[in-house]
Amino acid sequence: MEFFGGLGFIYSRVSFNENDLPFEISKNLILRQATKGEADNFIDHVIKTYGSYGFIALGTIGNFDRIKSSGEKPKKFWLVEFKGNNHELCDLGNVSVLMKPKLLFGDTAIFHDNKGTKGKYGYIFGGYRNENIIAELSRNNEGLIEQNELNQLKFFLAELKKLPALERYLMMYISSQCLSSGSDLLTLSLFSIIESLVVHKPTHIENLDSITSQVKNKINLISKMFDNALDYNSYFHDLTPDKAWSKVYALRSNIAHGESYDFSGKNSCLKNMDNVNQFLDEVVRQLLRLTFKNMELIKDLQAC
């Protein structure tokens, strides 16, 4: 079946400089603010689909009518408009997790004709269960996405088409999104991405401790090329990068081998699992962004 086009709604509680919009991500993808009618239809859909979880998804408190166009505090919504049966939207949703804050796409409206929200349409996919909305939003802060980040988004989408090998790492990251920020399984998931990008399998003259050393030394080296410096102090008080990685990797090993762990005493500097996972998530996000920009460098780093 052929479609005229559709709208991919953004669940993230992000904002944009309105002077930057509409923004052309590609020939068939336009980022813009939702019209009043589109926003009201989306609110009604979220209420029917997710019930009380919709309050979390929409970032509102109280009656949903308050945030409609006719309500006390009309809410702005952002979306990506696409033309035809556009499969680019899926790729865009994948690379959008590399933004800070992340762009999380929710349900998608499909138009059967050029009448837009006045024509016949349906929300045909979203991929969310109620708890997934909470898990994803729990790992994503609010914030403003500026022009330079929009340009990065456009670049990442174009690079994904050129280098499909990048999709493997990106999908590993995306598959972890349904885990809550306090999950120890999330810790292992994020570490597996880091190791798959920068660590080589120990040789017969190396021991397993070399993996710890590789992670610590290589991340400390390559992080100098990240778009934003890793702020170790905000996560782990006064720990040096070396000590921070030693403690975080020790925690990872305890989880992987079924040993007990806590965040008291000498490990109190790690604060809690949420804090560790937020740190690892930032490392993975920055590492993937760099991989998109310089795949050969990452391959060389892994081999050494």
Side-chain angles (χ1 to χ4, degrees):
M1 180 182 292
E2 291 293 326
F3 296 102
F4 177 78
L7 308 171
F9 286 88
I10 296 171
Y11 274 151
S12 310
R13 297 173 204 144
V14 298
S15 60
F16 302 89
N17 291 316
E18 294 186 25
N19 291 337
D20 295 336
L21 302 182
F23 181 81
E24 183 179 287
I25 301 172
S26 71
K27 182 180 178 181
N28 293 315
L29 296 177
I30 304 295
L31 174 66
R32 63 172 174 83
Q33 183 177 339
T35 65
K36 291 180 179 179
E38 291 164 348
D40 286 351
N41 280 333
F42 180 57
I43 292 169
D44 287 339
H45 167 72
V46 170
I47 295 169
K48 292 175 183 177
T49 305
Y50 302 110
S52 59
Y53 287 90
F55 285 111
I56 299 169
L58 297 176
T60 185
I61 299 175
N63 195 317
F64 283 111
D65 289 334
R66 294 176 65 247
I67 63 173
K68 290 189 174 182
S69 58
S70 58
E72 300 170 19
K73 294 185 177 181
K75 184 175 175 61
K76 292 181 180 179
F77 288 92
W78 317 98
L79 55 81
V80 171
E81 180 178 353
F82 59 92
K83 300 176 183 177
N85 299 335
N86 196 330
H87 301 292
E88 267 192 310
L89 187 66
C90 293
D91 289 337
L92 178 64
N94 291 340
V95 297
S96 292
V97 299
L98 301 178
M99 300 296 99
K100 187 175 183 179
K102 298 179 177 70
L103 285 182
L104 304 178
F105 283 87
D107 298 57
T108 300
I110 299 295
F111 301 146
H112 294 277
D113 52 40
N114 63 358
K115 295 178 182 179
T117 53
K118 296 179 181 178
K120 184 180 179 181
Y121 69 94
Y123 292 85
I124 64 169
F125 67 88
Y128 285 97
R129 296 197 306 269
N130 293 340
E131 61 270 24
N132 285 1
I133 295 176
I134 297 175
E136 291 204 21
L137 292 178
S138 73
R139 294 175 55 193
N140 196 46
N141 297 324
E142 301 178 19
L144 174 69
I145 295 183
E146 298 184 344
Q147 178 77 44
N148 65 323
E149 275 294 279
L150 292 177
N151 290 332
Q152 291 290 314
L153 179 62
K154 186 173 185 175
F155 168 78
F156 293 143
L157 180 61
E159 286 301 299
L160 186 60
K161 296 175 186 176
K162 298 177 189 175
L163 298 170
L166 291 168
E167 187 173 9
R168 173 194 174 194
Y169 304 108
L170 191 59
M171 294 311 296
M172 289 174 68
Y173 186 37
I174 291 168
S175 66
S176 72
Q177 300 292 297
C178 64
L179 299 170
S180 68
S181 59
S183 168
D184 50 10
L185 185 59
L186 177 59
T187 310
L188 297 180
S189 177
L190 294 172
F191 255 114
S192 70
I193 301 169
I194 294 171
E195 292 176 18
S196 70
L197 284 168
V198 303
V199 172
H200 64 256
K201 186 177 180 180
T203 65
H204 67 282
I205 60 173
E206 296 174 316
N207 56 42
L208 292 177
D209 287 338
S210 75
I211 296 180
T212 310
S213 298
Q214 284 186 66
V215 170
K216 180 168 58 177
N217 296 331
K218 291 181 180 181
I219 292 297
N220 284 341
L221 176 65
I222 202 69
S223 63
K224 294 178 173 61
M225 299 183 67
F226 285 174
D227 290 336
N228 302 105
L230 294 174
D231 188 358
Y232 287 91
N233 288 339
S234 68
Y235 290 104
F236 307 123
H237 300 304
D238 297 326
L239 284 185
T240 64
D242 276 357
K243 289 183 178 179
W245 278 109
S246 293
K247 287 186 174 294
V248 171
Y249 203 88
L251 173 64
R252 172 248 182 240
S253 295
N254 285 345
I255 295 170
H257 298 293
E259 298 178 9
S260 61
Y261 60 87
D262 58 48
F263 296 94
S264 61
K266 63 181 182 180
N267 289 327
S268 62
C269 51
L270 297 180
K271 300 179 183 177
N272 51 55
M273 191 65 77
D274 288 73
N275 182 63
V276 171
N277 285 338
Q278 287 170 16
F279 169 73
L280 292 174
D281 188 89
E282 176 64 7
V283 173
V284 171
R285 188 186 68 84
Q286 295 256 28
L287 187 56
L288 284 171
R289 284 172 68 109
L290 183 58
T291 304
F292 267 74
K293 296 175 182 179
N294 200 330
M295 184 73 164
E296 290 304 313
L297 174 66
I298 297 299
K299 287 182 177 179
D300 290 344
L301 181 69
Q302 184 184 59
C304 69

